[in-house]
Amino acid sequence: MIAQDTLCALAQWLDVDARQAHRQLESYRACLVAHTEFLLEAGEIARAINGKRYYEALRMLGRGTHYSEASIALGLAIMRLMKAVAAARRS
């Protein structure tokens, strides 16, 4: 369930509100990709927890992991999208 990108607030915003207004922006498309990649990594951690592989899940949350990199990439993608949206509004 966690890996389904239609269930979180960010996914809903990206899919409904932002798609119509900002789909022409490269940063919008990059944010979609980063969000999907983040959710895939979060889903792996959730599966480890559900499988009672707690140590593995904890390792997956650490620095330099795929999850950590996906989390950072998503944060940067959101910031880039916010800047692009603000710039588009000023134009």
Side-chain angles (χ1 to χ4, degrees), residues 7-85:
L7 300 177
C8 76
L10 176 59
Q12 291 174 357
W13 179 78
L14 286 169
D15 197 42
V16 178
D17 299 328
R19 178 181 303 264
Q20 193 64 18
H22 310 301
R23 68 176 175 250
Q24 77 283 1
L25 298 173
E26 175 59 35
S27 57
Y28 168 78
R29 293 184 294 278
C31 198
L32 283 175
V33 170
H35 182 251
T36 298
E37 291 173 358
F38 170 79
L39 288 176
L40 290 171
E41 294 302 326
E44 289 296 317
I45 294 167
R47 279 187 282 288
I49 291 169
N50 290 340
K52 300 187 185 332
R53 299 185 321 271
Y54 304 118
Y55 181 74
E56 180 183 346
L58 190 58
R59 276 188 307 126
M60 294 166 81
L61 288 166
R63 293 175 99 184
T65 62
H66 294 293
Y67 173 81
S68 172
E69 292 172 6
S71 178
I72 291 167
L74 178 57
L76 291 172
I78 291 169
M79 290 180 3
R80 288 182 186 117
L81 177 57
M82 290 171 56
K83 286 181 182 180
V85 167

